[in-house]
Amino acid sequence: MSIQKPKAGQSFPSITMNDLQGGTRDLSKPNAPYDWQMVVVYRGKHCPLCTRYLSELNTLLPEFHALGIDVVAVSADTEVRAKEQISQINPNFNIAYGLTIEQMQTLGLYISNPRSQAEYDRPFAEPGLFVINAEGNIQIVDISNAPFVRPELTSLLMGLKFIRNPENNYPVRGTY
C-alpha cells in the first residue's frame, strides 16, 4: 500500500486527538492567540532522543510563541505512557496521545514496528514536523524514518522568523 505524503502548500488534515490537559486538540488549528500551528510528532516514551528534543522545544517555546506559533506534540503512546515521559519535561505546550495507524498514514509518517516488548507493544510513528500557516496550509514539512534525523530547532526558529517577517513575502517552498 502506497501512502501519499502531505505536500507543502496543501491543507493540513483535520485530526482530533485527546490531550494530556484533559481535552481534545484539532492538530490543524492553533489555540488563540496564535495564528500558526506547529505539530511535532515524536516516537514515544521509549525514545530518549524524543525526550531531549521535546525538552529543547520547551526551552525555545517562548520564541515560537513570540512568532505567533502554537505548538502541539503528538505520539502513539497511551495516556499513561505519555504522562510518564512528559513528567520528565513538564512542557508548556499541549501533548496529544493515541495517534492511530490510520492517522499516521494520513500524515504520511513512517511507521515502525517495535524491536521488542521493552520498546513498545504496537507500531509507532517515526518523527515528523509540520508548520501550518494561518490559511491552514502546510508551510514546512519534515518527515523522517529514523529518530536521529529531525529539524534542528534553533535553525527552524531562525527560518520561521524570516518567513513570518511580512517584508520578506516568503512563499511556501517545494511546490513545483
Side-chain angles (χ1 to χ4, degrees), residues 15-28:
I15 295 175
T16 301
M17 298 180 63
N18 291 323
D19 67 28
L20 292 183
Q21 290 68 33
T24 59
R25 251 332 267 273
D26 179 345
L27 300 184
S28 69

Side-chain angles (χ1 to χ4, degrees), residues 34-79:
Y34 309 105
D35 62 340
W36 282 37
Q37 172 80 344
M38 186 165 79
V39 178
V40 177
V41 180
Y42 67 101
R43 300 172 81 225
K45 179 184 174 214
H46 66 277
C47 179
L49 294 173
C50 295
T51 303
R52 281 198 301 267
Y53 195 78
L54 295 175
S55 290
E56 181 183 359
L57 177 60
N58 197 46
T59 300
L60 295 172
L61 187 65
E63 293 183 64
F64 285 100
H65 282 174
L67 291 173
I69 302 170
D70 193 17
V71 174
V72 61
V74 304
S75 77
D77 274 350
T78 62
E79 181 179 13

Side-chain angles (χ1 to χ4, degrees), residues 91-107:
N92 294 312
F93 50 85
N94 285 107
I95 301 292
Y97 61 89
L99 192 65
T100 67
I101 289 176
E102 180 182 71
Q103 291 167 331
M104 293 177 212
Q105 291 171 329
T106 296
L107 294 174

Side-chain angles (χ1 to χ4, degrees), residues 77-145:
D77 274 350
T78 62
E79 181 179 13
V80 169
R81 284 176 59 97
K83 281 182 178 177
E84 288 172 2
Q85 181 181 25
I86 295 309
S87 69
Q88 300 172 44
I89 302 165
N90 295 314
N92 294 312
F93 50 85
N94 285 107
I95 301 292
Y97 61 89
L99 192 65
T100 67
I101 289 176
E102 180 182 71
Q103 291 167 331
M104 293 177 212
Q105 291 171 329
T106 296
L107 294 174
L109 299 166
Y110 289 98
I111 303 169
S112 291
N113 286 310
R115 295 183 309 152
S116 71
Q117 284 292 108
E119 187 173 60
Y120 203 24
D121 65 354
R122 65 186 80 169
F124 55 88
E126 292 295 342
L129 187 142
F130 304 88
V131 177
I132 304 138
N133 63 29
E135 291 77 40
N137 298 325
I138 299 170
Q139 183 79 31
I140 297 173
V141 58
D142 186 273
I143 298 172
S144 176
N145 72 321

